[in-house]
Amino acid sequence: MSDLSVVIVGGLHSDARKAAVARLLADVPGSVALHHDLTTAAAGTVVRTVRDADGVRYAGEAPLVNDCACCALREDLVPELRRLADAGDTRLAVVELWDSVEPKAMAEVVTAGGLTVTGVLTAVDPALLLPYLGNGDDLAEAGLAAAATDQRTVADTFARQLEYAPVLAVADSEEADDEDRELLAQLHPTARRIPIGHGDLAGAALAGFDVEAAAAAQHPACALLPAEADAHGVTTFVWHRRRPFHPERLYQALEDLTCAAARSRGRFWLADRPDTLLHWDAAGGALCVESAGPWLASLPDAAWEMLPPIRRAAAALDWHPEHGDCCQHLVFTSPGLDRDNLRRLLESCLLTDAEYAAGRDAWKLLPPAFDTLLEV
């Protein structure tokens, strides 16, 4: 098998994504693009196209797997890439993902298949950032579901596409203003932002990519969340506390907290579940709350050795002598953010001094308001 490099290009902004792929094909000699079109899934097939800078080389169909178009993509992609590698005449395979397919899953599939992912790019039109982050419609309603059971929304899918990629291929949009560009910078401050029309996308595609590190960076315990920022009408507010939430008061405030910002994320600590690290993930006016496992402070020392080094390092950086890594760390990013009101609302959901002083045994007896959200 030849040394084939694979770059994954994703994103719901299809015009920007197609422009980024076209730029890569034009700039990298010996490159081809693979695309699986899932719009025909209702008819029972997925259409695969392989093309280069001169046009389509060949096209074919892949059957659905378990009535899942995304599963068909997974099953078909690696064999196609291996065929390209074996042929020996392709330097770079550009995997152009269909609209709602997330790059994390595909990067892991390609790597598990023994191939080398050298880059992951999400293509973005800055003018469309806020409309997509504010779109709480189900993907199915928008005709973008990757499977019959797909329950994702446009907003949360777009947020994950944006935040996973270390490189953002940015469309040269005449409609985008300073606020749009600032929102992009604050949502993913560590990303390289490369203009599609006049940037080095080829260099980014071949620069190298660490799948394990990228996955760890998405885990709520390790994620490098944005820092405080305020520019061009866009604010990022970071809220960090060492006291657990009262479950009922937080639950009652969820709607206001979820709608306070275009995007919010992080980890939080509930008094009635003091040993559980909970993940906060909100976009488009909808909130996803899920358990992300135990806080390290709740584990015996022997269990630490079984955890990834990055997880132990993240906990050590944020360690408190009394509570260990248990904390509230939530980040809200949005134009027009009311920082003071948001802070007051969050503070009102914490345990009072008397509730806090009652101790963990008493905390665990508080009404379990989050059981439904956590499907307990």
Side-chain angles (χ1 to χ4, degrees):
M1 187 178 290
S2 69
D3 293 328
L4 175 71
S5 296
V6 179
V7 60
I8 293 172
V9 182
L12 277 163
H13 296 170
S14 58
D15 288 346
R17 189 186 69 238
K18 291 171 184 175
V21 172
R23 181 68 191 272
L24 286 169
L25 293 178
D27 288 355
V28 182
S31 60
V32 301
L34 292 83
H35 179 62
H36 288 76
D37 190 335
L38 309 190
T39 55
T40 58
T45 59
V46 171
V47 177
R48 176 209 322 114
T49 303
V50 178
R51 68 186 191 280
D52 56 26
D54 296 323
V56 175
R57 284 190 178 183
Y58 58 90
E61 292 186 346
L64 290 193
V65 177
N66 299 323
D67 291 326
C68 171
C70 206
C71 300
L73 190 164
R74 291 169 186 257
E75 294 292 325
D76 192 67
L77 178 59
V78 169
E80 282 298 315
L81 289 171
R82 283 182 175 151
R83 275 191 279 276
L84 288 171
D86 290 340
D89 59 353
T90 300
R91 177 188 178 197
L92 177 68
V94 182
V95 177
E96 181 194 347
L97 300 180
W98 188 69
D99 295 17
S100 69
V101 177
E102 296 185 27
K104 179 178 185 292
M106 291 305 115
E108 291 171 354
V109 165
V110 172
T111 302
L115 295 146
T116 302
V117 176
T118 57
V120 174
L121 287 65
T122 292
V124 183
D125 181 339
L128 298 177
L129 267 179
L130 203 53
Y132 275 67
L133 278 178
N135 189 341
D137 290 348
D138 291 338
L139 290 174
E141 295 174 14
L144 296 170
T149 56
D150 197 338
Q151 296 183 339
R152 296 173 297 156
T153 68
V154 172
D156 65 43
T157 301
F158 176 66
R160 283 190 295 273
Q161 290 177 337
L162 182 75
E163 292 156 12
Y164 178 77
V167 177
L168 301 178
V170 183
D172 301 318
S173 174
E174 294 181 358
E175 290 77 23
D177 57 21
D178 287 343
E179 181 182 280
D180 296 323
R181 286 183 280 270
E182 180 64 26
L183 179 59
L184 181 60
Q186 291 189 29
L187 285 168
H188 196 349
T190 62
R192 288 180 63 193
R193 296 183 295 279
I194 301 177
I196 294 171
H198 51 90
D200 185 16
L201 285 184
L206 296 164
F209 182 75
D210 188 328
V211 172
E212 290 186 6
Q218 300 305 302
H219 192 285
C222 316
L224 186 61
L225 297 171
E228 291 262 351
D230 195 350
H232 299 293
V234 181
T235 299
T236 293
F237 169 60
V238 179
W239 188 72
H240 193 273
R241 293 291 183 273
R242 292 288 185 178
R243 181 174 292 200
F245 280 125
H246 187 287
E248 276 192 321
R249 289 201 294 275
L250 178 62
Y251 188 82
Q252 290 167 4
L254 286 183
E255 183 174 354
D256 289 338
L257 291 171
T258 300
C259 296
R263 177 74 172 129
S264 57
R265 50 192 147 142
R267 54 189 180 272
F268 69 104
W269 184 24
L270 276 182
D272 64 319
R273 302 168 180 270
D275 297 328
T276 303
L277 189 161
L278 294 164
H279 184 202
W280 178 288
D281 188 30
L287 170 67
C288 176
V289 170
E290 59 186 0
S291 168
W295 296 103
L296 265 61
S298 69
L299 296 176
D301 291 348
W304 281 50
E305 297 305 315
M306 301 170 63
L307 296 166
I310 190 171
R311 176 75 194 279
R312 300 198 301 269
L317 286 171
D318 201 26
W319 198 259
H320 184 273
E322 182 180 358
H323 301 302
D325 57 334
C326 302
C327 68
Q328 318 291 357
H329 188 173
L330 297 175
V331 177
F332 298 79
T333 300
S334 189
L337 190 74
D338 188 342
R339 187 196 305 253
D340 292 338
N341 187 56
L342 183 53
R343 180 186 290 108
R344 283 193 294 269
L345 182 57
L346 288 163
E347 302 282 350
S348 73
C349 297
L350 293 172
L351 294 184
T352 64
D353 289 346
E355 290 165 343
Y356 179 76
R360 286 189 169 228
D361 289 343
W363 302 351
K364 292 178 181 179
L365 298 177
L366 292 170
F370 279 74
D371 279 4
T372 302
L373 278 180
L374 293 167
E375 298 180 351
V376 172

